[in-house]
Amino acid sequence: MPKITVLPHAEICPEGAVIEADQGTSICDALLKHDIDIDNACGGVCACTTCHVIVREGFKSLNEIEEDEEDMLDRAWGLQSQSRLSCQAILQEADVTVEIPKYSINLAKEGHH
């Protein structure tokens, strides 16, 4: 079972966290399942950038990025070469470390519990 290490984020996960998730699960779903309330305004269908994360370790172990995700990522704030939409980043066998950016395009901070 791969582990996701979440680096500290002042609002969402101040202490950081290490969670386990099933292979084949999206990073977004795994975080939400473990009460890490990452923004996710589109319900995981690759229609927004609110669940943008930066994969600090294990980037190449995730599924390949598809064109739809690349197009959406172009709109994300703080885009980096290791950016992914967490709803599209599917865990494989390897552990990953993610950073949730300080800012997201979701100015309203919609809650989806």
Side-chain angles (χ1 to χ4, degrees):
M1 206 177 252
K3 288 184 179 128
I4 303 171
T5 300
V6 181
L7 299 176
H9 181 283
E11 295 175 14
I12 297 172
C13 191
E15 304 297 318
V18 178
I19 62 172
E20 289 187 343
D22 292 329
Q23 188 175 339
T25 302
S26 74
I27 290 174
C28 184
D29 286 345
L31 296 180
L32 293 172
K33 181 177 179 182
H34 287 87
D35 299 321
I36 299 171
D37 196 21
I38 188 167
D39 287 340
N40 61 105
C42 77
V45 297
C46 196
C48 72
T49 63
T50 59
C51 71
H52 169 225
V53 295
I54 302 162
V55 183
R56 296 293 182 197
E57 294 179 22
F59 183 85
K60 291 185 184 273
S61 71
L62 299 169
N63 62 310
E64 292 217 16
I65 193 166
E66 295 186 13
E67 190 174 331
D68 290 350
E69 182 182 358
E70 284 181 341
D71 291 345
M72 289 309 301
L73 277 170
D74 286 341
R75 302 175 189 179
W77 288 3
L79 183 66
Q80 296 188 15
S81 62
Q82 292 184 305
S83 289
R84 291 291 306 259
L85 297 180
S86 64
C87 70
Q88 301 300 304
I90 307 300
L91 296 165
Q92 306 301 316
E93 295 177 10
D95 297 344
V96 297
T97 298
V98 299
E99 176 183 345
I100 301 169
K102 183 175 182 178
Y103 301 106
S104 99
I105 202 165
N106 187 12
L107 299 176
K109 293 284 188 189
E110 297 172 9
H112 294 272
H113 301 285

